């Protein structure tokens, strides 16, 4: 008989994650920026690859393009960034529109045009933007949704370089990018325009990073302004003193131009992009902004369409301060008191005495705020419905409008960008009509001597139109987002937001919970329970069996800091993403919905 204690059972070795081979990159629209060559993943073997799922309407996607530029330059002999253009709007599925966007936003890497979302589905992507990292052997090693992942990607790429250099599986050398031939025009993707007291026009020449003054004919160049100062400028507005305030969009700043002296002065913004936790008011030159897209003078202040954070801000030249005026930073369409309203990339402003009109692009909506600070919607229903439909405003449809112009009779002209049209909304009748079609991505318009001059952004010109006495109604076309709904089972749905702190970082819990989750739905009746705000990145949602389809709105945030015990003040990073997930209730649906913020779903 042996009385010795039994040997302890060894702990099981941690399970090694099965490696997932990256699906092939396929898209009906073909490849851009490759000199006509069709790329495959086999062509990229030996390189670290970052696949960027983007769409050109999405301001967060544009932020990521900027974040990736430095990484692209630092690791140009080992890293290939591949853009997969995955459209939300019908217009974005047009091949020429993708060609234009690649030039407009100076995308200097290969881009796959995937109008049918084939590769999007293969990679189970659920949000714009999403970044997928593929190692030199062709396996998926990480996925990130949203912005703010540049530091994590840099750390991972450096780790992959070292690992595969040692294995002999890293291939250095030039990547597959082939730049397109440049095109000569006086304007290149102009954004907005205003009328000057001289009768000339001032235009933001966005892709050339300048302002251009044109003669009254809208064609003859008088002068170019601001070379080396602006980055993709957009909105313009005249201040009471005659100076011009400019939305310097990619520099996250406002600048003021003195037309007489040509002097340009930064008056708001630090040049850094605003992140959650940053100041929302204070001295204008000390507060970060995020992609200001348009500006308007109203109620004694400059109002700012802050597309990057789905808000309206104001700048007060007299006090030299900025502050949030409306919006919560959540993306969607919610009316009511300014502090509770939701916007989705407000991109155009136009002021009258009693209203500030807003082109709210991602909800394909025309909205307005009154002097009491209450937000209203005139046209539009939400993030997923769009089209070209005239008639009563309650059922009318726009498609990603970027501009709005108040007209003398109290109506407004809407630059209905992705419908290539100029539309009119008349508050007196509640009707929407069409003023003109066959424009190419109109992004703004200005009244000149009773006519309207439209910025035809994708035709690189200004176009002068007579305002018709009677607008027309065109044949109705309605669309929904191209994404397929996720089939979910009735009853309880487990929501898991996957977040793994990137290599070299840890969750920052020094001041309390470092994560936040906000859940809501459209219609609100879809959820019987589980909506609201909490600090866990998981949630049990109770679905209403009487509602067969809808959209889950999920906003997640996680803060992580560099894990370096020797550094008393480690750098910290905020990871944030909003998802709008179309769902359909079916008996065969899933009971778990994973959304990847950073890492891999186990």
């Amino acid at each position: 008989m042996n009385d010795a204690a039994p040997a302890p059972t060894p702990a099981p070795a941690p399970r090694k994650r099965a490696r997932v081979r990256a699906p092939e990159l396929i898209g009906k629209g073909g490849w851009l920026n490759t000199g006509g060559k069709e790329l495959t993943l086999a062509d990229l073997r030996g390189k670290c690859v970052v696949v960027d799922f983007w769409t050109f309407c999405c301001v967060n996607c544009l932020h990521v393009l900027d974040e990736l530029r430095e990484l692209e330059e630092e690791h140009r002999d080992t890293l290939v960034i591949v853009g997969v253009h995955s459209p939300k709007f019908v217009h974005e599925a047009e091949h020429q529109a993708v060609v234009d966007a690649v030039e407009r936003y100076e995308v200097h890497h290969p881009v796959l045009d995937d109008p049918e979302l084939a590769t999007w589905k293969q990679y189970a992507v659920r949000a714009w933007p999403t970044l997928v990292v593929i190692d030199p052997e062709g396996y998926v090693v990480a996925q990130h949704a949203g912005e703010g992942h540049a530091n994590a990607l840099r750390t991972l790429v450096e780790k992959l370089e070292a690992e595969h250099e040692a294995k002999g599986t890293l291939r250095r050398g030039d990547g597959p990018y082939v730049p397109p031939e440049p095109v000569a025009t006086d304007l290149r993707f102009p954004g907005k325009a205003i009328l000057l007291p001289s009768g000339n026009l001032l235009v933001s020449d966005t892709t050339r990073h300048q302002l251009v003054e044109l003669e009254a004919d809208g064609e003859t160049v008088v002068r170019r302004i601001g070379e080396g100062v602006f980055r993709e400028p957009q909105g313009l507005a005249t201040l009471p003193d005659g100076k011009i305030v400019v939305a310097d969009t990619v520099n996250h700043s406002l600048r003021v131009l003195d037309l007489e002296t040509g002097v340009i002065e930064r008056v708001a913004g630090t040049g850094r992009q605003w992140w959650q936790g940053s100041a929302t008011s204070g001295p204008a030159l000390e507060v970060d902004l995020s992609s200001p897209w348009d500006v308007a003078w109203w109620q004694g202040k400059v109002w700012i369409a802050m597309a990057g954070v789905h808000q309206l801000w104001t700048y007060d030249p007299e006090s030299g301060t900025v502050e949030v005026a409306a919006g919560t930073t959540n993306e969607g369409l919610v009316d009511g008191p300014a502090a509770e309203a939701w916007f989705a990339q407000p991109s155009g402003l136009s002021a009258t005495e009693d209203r500030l009109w807003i082109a709210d692009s991602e909800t394909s909506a025309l909205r307005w705020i009154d002097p009491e600070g209450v937000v209203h919607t005139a046209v539009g229903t939400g993030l997923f419905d769009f089209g070209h439909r005239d008639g009563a405003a309650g059922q009318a449809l726009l498609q990603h409008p970027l501009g709005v112009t108040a007209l003398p009779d109290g109506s407004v002209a809407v630059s209905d960008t992705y419908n290539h049209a100029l539309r009119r909304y008349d508050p007196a009748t509640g009707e929407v009509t069409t003023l003109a079609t066959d424009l190419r991505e109109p992004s703004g318009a200005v009244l000149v001597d009773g006519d309207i001059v439209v910025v035809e952004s994708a035709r690189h010109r200004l176009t002068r139109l007579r305002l018709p006495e009677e607008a027309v109604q065109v044949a109705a076309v309605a669309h929904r987002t191209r994404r397929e709904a996720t089939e979910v089972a009735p009853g309880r749905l487990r929501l898991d937001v996957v977040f793994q702190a990137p290599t070299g970082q840890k969750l920052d819990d020094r001041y309390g919970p470092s994560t936040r989750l906000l859940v809501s739905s459209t219609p609100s009746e879809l959820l019987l329970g589980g909506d609201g705000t909490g600090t866990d990145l998981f949630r049990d949602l109770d679905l209403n069996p009487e509602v067969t389809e809808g959209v889950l709105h999920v906003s997640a945030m996680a803060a992580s800091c560099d894990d370096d015990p020797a550094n008393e003040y480690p750098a910290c990073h905020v990871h944030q993403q909003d998802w709008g997930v179309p769902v359909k209730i079916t008996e065969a649906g899933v009971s778990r919905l994973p959304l990847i913020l950073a890492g891999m779903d186990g």
Side-chain angles (χ1 to χ4, degrees):
M1 183 173 173
N2 187 350
D3 294 325
T9 304
R15 290 180 61 187
K16 191 172 181 181
R17 185 189 302 275
R19 295 208 294 171
V20 177
R21 175 70 72 175
E24 190 54 81
L25 304 174
I26 53 174
K28 193 173 181 180
W31 287 89
L32 306 176
N33 285 352
T34 63
K37 178 180 171 63
E38 296 286 312
L39 287 184
T40 66
L41 283 176
D43 298 324
L44 303 176
R45 198 76 79 240
K47 299 285 191 183
C48 304
V49 178
V50 174
V51 181
D52 175 18
F53 290 90
W54 69 296
T55 189
F56 63 79
C57 71
C58 162
V59 72
N60 310 91
C61 299
L62 305 185
H63 292 165
V64 167
L65 286 174
D66 289 328
E67 289 177 4
L68 293 175
R69 294 188 206 283
E70 190 175 328
L71 184 68
E72 211 167 7
E73 183 61 33
E74 289 173 354
H75 299 272
R76 60 170 47 252
D77 67 331
T78 59
L79 171 68
V80 175
I81 294 173
V82 173
V84 176
H85 188 268
S86 312
K88 172 186 175 181
F89 291 98
V90 168
H91 167 60
E92 293 174 310
E94 295 176 17
H95 182 69
Q96 186 56 48
V98 181
V99 173
D100 289 343
V102 167
E103 180 190 349
R104 181 196 296 262
Y105 298 116
E106 298 179 303
V107 180
H108 294 162
H109 51 248
V111 173
L112 175 64
D113 179 12
D114 182 17
E116 296 175 344
L117 302 180
T119 296
W120 167 286
K121 294 170 189 172
Q122 286 290 312
Y123 280 79
V125 175
R126 295 186 185 276
W128 295 278
T130 290
L131 299 166
V132 176
V133 183
I134 302 172
D135 72 13
E137 293 179 291
Y139 291 94
V140 174
V141 293
Q143 183 169 325
H144 301 272
E147 307 174 45
H149 301 293
N151 190 69
L153 289 172
R154 181 177 290 104
T155 301
L156 179 55
V157 167
E158 289 169 356
K159 179 183 175 185
L160 290 173
E161 284 175 343
E163 177 184 328
H164 289 273
E165 188 96 80
K167 289 176 69 174
T169 49
L170 186 72
R171 176 167 56 87
R172 294 185 179 272
D174 290 339
Y177 170 66
V178 178
E181 291 293 322
V183 181
T185 53
D186 286 331
L187 300 174
R188 206 73 195 159
F189 298 104
K192 309 285 187 183
I194 58 171
L195 181 65
L196 300 177
S198 64
N200 288 350
L201 293 153
L202 188 66
V203 185
S204 54
D205 195 16
T206 303
T207 300
R208 296 239 174 86
H209 313 292
Q210 296 176 339
L211 308 183
V212 178
E213 183 177 348
L214 300 174
E215 291 185 4
D217 62 9
E219 297 178 7
T220 306
V221 174
V222 176
R223 57 174 169 162
R224 296 183 178 274
I225 303 167
E227 183 175 2
V229 176
F230 299 109
R231 283 186 67 203
E232 297 183 24
Q234 286 282 348
L236 309 163
T238 304
L239 299 176
D241 63 4
K243 294 180 180 178
I244 307 299
V245 62
V246 183
D248 191 5
T249 304
V250 176
N251 278 327
H252 308 297
S253 302
L254 298 188
R255 298 185 193 273
V256 165
L257 163 67
D258 186 321
L259 284 166
E260 292 185 8
T261 65
V263 171
I264 301 169
E265 177 187 8
R266 179 170 56 90
V267 296
T270 62
R272 296 184 302 269
Q273 184 184 338
W274 187 94
W275 287 99
Q276 287 288 351
S278 302
T280 56
S281 64
L285 291 170
E286 299 175 16
V287 177
D288 299 339
L289 307 180
S290 182
S291 296
W293 210 273
D294 203 5
V295 283
W297 181 258
W298 191 54
Q299 294 189 316
K301 294 180 181 179
V302 175
W303 286 68
I304 310 164
M306 201 74 78
V309 286
H310 317 300
Q311 291 179 313
L312 303 181
W313 287 42
T314 58
Y315 161 62
D316 185 345
E318 197 157 309
S319 64
T321 58
V322 293
E323 63 180 351
V324 173
T328 64
T329 76
N330 294 111
E331 185 179 13
L333 192 153
V334 176
D335 289 338
E340 301 169 14
W342 290 22
F343 296 94
Q345 282 179 221
S347 301
L349 300 175
S350 186
T352 65
E353 185 175 341
D354 61 349
R355 294 187 184 191
L356 180 68
W357 292 99
I358 305 148
D360 201 29
S361 62
E362 280 293 285
T363 52
S364 297
L366 172 65
R367 307 176 72 185
W368 54 282
I369 185 168
D370 64 30
E372 285 70 47
V374 178
V375 176
H376 310 260
T377 296
V379 182
T381 58
L383 286 165
F384 300 100
D385 295 289
F386 53 91
H388 191 148
R389 186 161 63 199
D390 289 323
Q395 55 84 55
L397 293 173
L398 309 170
Q399 187 178 179
H400 197 77
L402 290 178
V404 57
T405 307
L407 300 177
D409 64 358
S411 66
V412 290
V414 179
S415 296
D416 193 5
T417 310
Y418 288 2
N419 280 327
H420 310 301
L422 192 68
R423 312 283 294 284
R424 173 189 267 159
Y425 167 68
D426 187 347
T429 64
E431 292 286 310
V432 175
T433 50
T434 297
L435 294 171
T437 57
D438 193 30
L439 302 167
R440 187 70 186 170
E441 291 191 19
S443 54
V446 57
L447 282 170
V448 180
D449 298 330
D451 294 338
I452 193 160
V453 174
V454 180
V455 181
E456 271 199 276
S457 189
R459 282 199 179 117
H460 320 292
R461 71 187 188 191
L462 304 186
T463 298
R464 191 168 182 134
L465 302 171
R466 295 279 179 191
L467 278 172
E469 291 185 12
E470 288 191 20
V472 300
Q473 290 201 12
V474 303
V477 179
H479 302 290
R480 283 187 65 81
T481 180
R482 302 176 68 82
R483 285 186 292 166
E484 293 179 1
T486 298
E487 294 191 1
V488 296
R492 181 151 292 188
L493 176 68
R494 172 71 171 210
L495 172 67
D496 283 323
V497 174
V498 177
F499 179 78
Q500 293 147 7
T503 303
Q505 297 178 30
K506 63 179 181 180
L507 285 173
D508 176 21
D509 53 8
R510 292 171 296 169
Y511 308 109
S514 58
T515 55
R516 186 190 70 183
L517 181 64
L518 171 65
V519 180
S520 63
S521 67
T522 302
S524 58
E525 296 79 19
L526 175 64
L527 287 178
L528 295 176
D531 56 339
T533 303
T535 57
D536 292 323
L537 291 181
F538 57 87
R539 189 82 59 86
D540 285 327
L541 308 180
D542 291 322
L543 302 177
N544 187 342
E546 296 180 8
V547 179
T548 57
E549 61 181 332
V551 178
L552 293 175
H553 303 285
V554 181
S555 178
M557 185 274 288
S560 60
C561 290
D562 293 347
D563 189 7
D564 181 1
N567 187 350
E568 187 178 354
Y569 303 104
C572 293
H573 316 274
V574 175
H575 314 265
Q576 182 175 1
Q577 177 62 23
D578 295 338
W579 291 267
V581 183
V583 294
K584 183 182 294 184
I585 314 299
T586 66
E587 290 295 334
V590 298
S591 58
R592 176 177 177 264
L593 178 63
L595 301 175
I596 297 178
L597 180 58
M600 299 282 284
D601 183 22

